[in-house]
Amino acid sequence: MPSLRRAAAVATAAVLAAVLAVPSTAGARSPADTDSARADLTSKAAHALVDRLGADRTGGAWLDRSGRMVVAVTDAAAEKAVVDAGGIARMVTHSAAELNAINATLAAQIDTPGVAFGVDSMNNKLFIDADTTVSAEDYQRLADLAASHGGAVTLRRMRGELKPFIQGGRFITPNRGSEYGSCSVGFNVRKKANPNSLYMITAGHCTVGASGVSDWYDGVGQYVGYDAGGYFPGNDFGLIKHNNASLSKPGNVWISEGVVRDITHSRDAGLGETVCHSGWKTGYRCGEVLAKNTTANYAEGRVTGLDYTSFCAAGGDSGGSVFHGDAALGLVSGGIPEDCRTYVQPVNEALAWYDVEVY
């Protein structure tokens, strides 16, 4: 068969539309980028420095487009510490402690379906995105809530709807007669305790949404395996057990006909990092990680801890692989194609949950 990644890209269930957009940069002051700053601060060292300086004196750390680490700071001493360490310091108004406290308040106060929110460290604000289903009354309540935080929160009305939708894929069921939608496989994985026991990992709303359906098929109707678990809402990851010995199960990602990307390990995506995804609907697309630890209030329930990215995705891409080079980073959860904004479930959380690893 073609790469299982490609066939897997049409393994099945529902995809979610999401609603995240890039907030305004109005709350951040000009970068304190000086000629003395060196571009040699690693991501690990930057986050260790943030931990040492503390959440009251910093506002996050991320990669800029040139690949340099930027650390947001709130005072001159912290700025000097970053520059002396070889990083780029950006003076900001709001500390991480302040933004995280506001985010916790939003989590307790916003339960309206069709709303997403999170911390946008790179713009030193929080965002609230409301989709087209949010009523004028609820939108005004959100506007009042945003305004109560003195400019630290931005609110945007999105152009699409945050909802699951059906996308063909009748091959999900044993008789292939279901109305369940199609999904994309993220990564082939193996049990840590038994490397010969192989699975594929995808979005949880795919497997949970196919409740009562056990068998899964690929894009040409070949049996692939059976449902082995799903976690949604709360998180968004699911597992399918490989159960067809005649199919190859390579540890790579399908990019295009004859082109694959080998995956050797997994890690968390970095804020500001360029990431790519592969899904059967939109194919191979790339974008940036705009925010970490975001929350999406799907109609089926809240999902937290998502990465918010700028690559385009559409119905059928759910569960698809998100990666950088040979590193597995995440699984597509949902997105509004009109805005080219996509939520991603970090893959390491899923791998740990099922005690599996990429290969």
Side-chain angles (χ1 to χ4, degrees):
M1 98 174 200
S3 164
L4 181 57
R5 291 301 178 191
R6 184 180 181 191
V10 285
T12 47
V15 73
L16 302 178
V19 282
L20 288 173
V22 182
S24 165
T25 60
R29 288 184 257 170
S30 298
D33 299 355
T34 68
D35 293 337
S36 61
R38 303 186 311 276
D40 59 0
L41 183 65
T42 66
S43 175
K44 182 177 180 180
H47 287 92
L49 180 59
V50 166
D51 289 341
R52 180 167 63 83
L53 293 172
D56 289 321
R57 303 178 65 198
T58 59
W62 60 89
L63 285 168
D64 71 6
R65 293 190 177 183
S66 70
R68 299 174 299 174
M69 286 302 302
V70 179
V71 179
V73 296
T74 61
D75 63 59
E79 179 182 28
K80 184 177 185 301
V82 171
V83 173
D84 288 347
I88 297 172
R90 176 173 295 176
M91 192 71 74
V92 297
T93 303
H94 308 292
S95 70
E98 180 183 356
L99 295 178
N100 290 337
I102 296 173
N103 195 42
T105 299
L106 297 184
Q109 295 178 328
I110 299 176
D111 57 5
T112 306
V115 177
F117 57 91
V119 175
D120 179 5
S121 298
M122 290 188 288
N123 289 310
N124 197 230
K125 286 182 178 261
L126 292 96
F127 60 86
I128 304 174
D129 294 335
D131 76 2
T132 55
T133 70
V134 175
S135 68
E137 180 181 358
D138 283 338
Y139 190 84
Q140 184 57 55
R141 182 177 66 85
L142 293 171
D144 293 341
L145 180 60
S148 71
H149 293 288
V153 181
T154 60
L155 171 66
R156 177 180 176 179
R157 172 73 83 172
M158 302 302 291
R159 295 179 294 170
E161 185 177 346
L162 178 62
K163 66 173 185 177
F165 60 91
I166 300 303
Q167 190 72 34
R170 297 184 177 184
F171 48 81
I172 188 172
T173 60
N175 61 13
R176 307 178 196 180
S178 170
E179 292 300 320
Y180 293 119
S182 58
C183 282
S184 299
V185 163
F187 304 96
N188 279 331
V189 297
R190 62 191 177 193
K191 280 288 186 180
K192 289 183 177 180
N194 180 9
N196 293 319
S197 184
L198 303 182
Y199 296 77
M200 62 178 74
I201 199 161
T202 186
H205 68 262
C206 295
T207 56
V208 171
S211 177
V213 177
S214 175
D215 295 318
W216 291 68
Y217 297 83
D218 68 21
V220 294
Q222 297 179 99
Y223 173 64
V224 173
Y226 56 86
D227 178 24
Y231 192 151
F232 175 83
N235 291 301
D236 195 1
F237 48 76
L239 199 66
I240 297 169
K241 178 70 172 71
H242 277 299
N243 196 35
N244 185 341
S246 68
L247 298 181
S248 64
K249 305 164 184 68
N252 57 38
V253 172
W254 182 82
I255 303 297
S256 61
E257 192 63 43
V259 180
V260 297
R261 179 66 51 78
D262 191 35
I263 299 297
T264 65
H265 64 287
S266 65
R267 62 174 173 82
D268 291 333
L271 185 62
E273 180 177 4
T274 296
V275 299
C276 298
H277 93 99
S278 181
W280 81 263
K281 185 65 174 180
T282 58
Y284 176 69
R285 301 290 185 94
C286 298
E288 294 180 359
V289 178
L290 303 174
K292 301 279 292 179
N293 195 30
T294 62
T295 298
N297 284 348
Y298 294 110
E300 295 75 18
R302 171 175 291 185
V303 178
T304 62
L306 298 170
D307 292 340
Y308 169 37
T309 71
S310 65
F311 63 73
C312 296
D317 287 328
S318 277
S321 40
V322 179
F323 54 96
H324 182 127
D326 59 358
L329 303 177
L331 309 165
V332 170
S333 176
I336 290 187
E338 295 88 341
D339 291 292
C340 270
R341 294 295 183 262
T342 302
Y343 300 104
V344 172
Q345 164 69 52
V347 74
N348 271 344
E349 184 178 13
L351 298 177
W353 183 264
Y354 292 120
D355 194 31
V356 294
E357 62 185 1
V358 297
Y359 58 86

